[in-house]
Amino acid sequence: MERSIQQVARLAGTTSRTLRHYDDIGLLPPSRIGHNGYRYYDEAALIRLQRVLLLRELGLGLPQIHQVIEAEADEAAALETHLALLRAEQDRLARRIAAVQHTIDSLQGRGKLMAKNMFDGFDHTVHQDEVEQRWGKEAYARSDAWWRGLGKDGQEDWKLRMKDLGNDWIAAARDAGITPDSPQAQDLARRHVQWLTGIPGTPAAEPGGDTKGYVMGLAEMYVADERFAANYGGIEGASFVRDALAIYIKTLP
C-alpha cells in the first residue's frame, strides 16, 4: 500500500517540505513519483522514515543518519537496537518518577527520606551501548572518564554552566529587540557550540568531526521534543535557539 507525501507527513508528525528535503539529499527517496509529480511512499519507505526519526531523536545530524542507515542494511536488527534503547529509557524514566515521588512523599511527611532511593534512574551511563555503537568504545571511554574526572564539584559547575546558558537563551528569546542574527544571539550561539565541543566523545569534539551536522541535529531536537524545548522556555524559545545556531554554524570552517 502506498501513501501520498501529505498522508505520510501527517502520520509521522512532520511536513511535506521536510520529506522533500530528505528526498533531495538522498536520505529518503519516495517509492515512486506519479505522473503528476507527487511523491508516494510504500511500507519500505515508511520503515526507513521511522529509522530516520529515531536517529534524529538521538541527536544525529542528517549526514550521520544517512551513513548509519546505509551501514546497517538489516533493518530488523537495527530496529531491535532502537527498541532496546527505548525500553531502557522507559525503565529509566519510571525509576526517576518513583525517585522524585519518594522525595515528595518524605517532604510531605508520608515516609522517611532514603538517600539510596533519591537518585535511582539518574545513571549517566544509560546510553553507553548506543554511544559505543555509533562512535566507538574509545569515544564513550573518553566522555565517561572526562565526566567522572570532573568530580562532584566539577559536575555541579558544568550543570550550572548549562543552566546559565539556558536562562540566557530564554531571556534573549523573550527580548523583542533581539533577533537570531543579532550580535547578542550570535554570541550565545558561540557559547553554545563552545559548550558542545567541550564534551569529549561527541562528534563536535572530534578533530574533523561533523560539528555542523551534530549541532543542527541537536538544535532540531530542541524544537521537536518538548522535554528539551522546556530548557529554552518552550517551543518558541527552542526555535529561536535553533535559528540562531543555524546562522552561526555557517561561519564555521
Side-chain angles (χ1 to χ4, degrees):
M1 178 179 178
E2 291 183 324
R3 292 176 171 82
S4 69
I5 189 170
Q6 292 85 1
Q7 290 174 316
V8 173
R10 285 195 298 271
L11 284 171
T14 186
T15 65
S16 298
R17 180 180 179 181
T18 296
L19 294 177
R20 287 194 294 271
H21 178 61
Y22 288 172
D23 180 20
D24 291 341
I25 64 176
L27 181 59
L28 181 69
S31 53
R32 72 178 178 90
I33 298 179
H35 61 84
N36 53 7
Y38 288 178
R39 293 168 171 81
Y40 293 90
Y41 298 80
D42 59 14
E43 289 186 353
L46 294 183
I47 292 172
R48 187 179 178 97
L49 176 58
Q50 185 185 56
R51 294 181 64 191
V52 169
L53 297 178
L54 286 167
L55 289 168
R56 287 295 298 276
E57 290 186 355
L58 293 174
L60 273 68
L62 296 181
Q64 293 171 302
I65 291 174
H66 194 281
Q67 293 173 4
V68 169
I69 289 180
E70 293 302 315
E72 297 178 343
D74 189 336
E75 292 177 328
L79 288 171
E80 285 286 352
T81 298
H82 284 298
L83 182 60
L85 288 168
L86 290 171
R87 284 175 171 162
E89 179 69 5
Q90 181 183 46
D91 176 69
R92 185 178 66 85
L93 287 174
R95 288 161 55 204
R96 279 194 175 188
I97 290 170
V100 173
Q101 185 63 59
H102 166 74
T103 303
I104 293 173
D105 289 344
S106 65
L107 289 173
Q108 296 179 344
R110 293 194 296 270
K112 182 179 179 181
L113 186 64
M114 302 292 290
K116 68 177 182 180
N117 296 332
M118 292 175 62
F119 303 103
D120 191 24
F122 287 82
D123 182 6
H124 79 280
T125 65
V126 66
H127 295 303
Q128 177 177 355
D129 291 342
E130 178 64 16
V131 172
E132 290 181 350
Q133 178 184 350
R134 302 304 177 195
W135 299 302
K137 292 181 179 295
E138 184 181 352
Y140 175 80
R142 287 199 303 272
S143 179
D144 184 61
W146 164 79
W147 178 254
R148 294 180 185 278
L150 289 177
K152 183 178 180 180
D153 291 341
Q155 291 171 5
E156 290 302 319
D157 288 343
W158 188 87
K159 292 176 183 177
L160 181 60
R161 179 185 174 192
M162 180 175 65
K163 182 178 180 181
D164 288 343
L165 180 59
N167 288 337
D168 289 345
W169 273 121
I170 292 173
R174 290 176 178 173
D175 189 327
I178 299 179
T179 59
D181 61 348
S182 67
Q184 299 95 319
Q186 288 304 292
D187 184 60
L188 283 173
R190 177 192 59 77
R191 286 171 53 194
H192 199 101
V193 173
Q194 186 179 53
W195 167 59
L196 290 174
T197 55
I199 305 174
T202 66
E206 297 301 306
D210 183 15
T211 300
K212 293 182 179 180
Y214 180 66
V215 170
M216 283 315 300
L218 288 175
E220 293 290 352
M221 184 175 66
Y222 298 158
V223 178
D225 192 321
E226 293 183 356
R227 294 172 301 172
F228 290 98
N231 294 323
Y232 305 104
I235 299 298
E236 185 175 350
S239 297
F240 181 90
V241 176
R242 177 199 59 195
D243 295 345
L245 287 171
I247 294 170
Y248 178 77
I249 64 170
K250 291 180 181 178
T251 67
L252 299 178

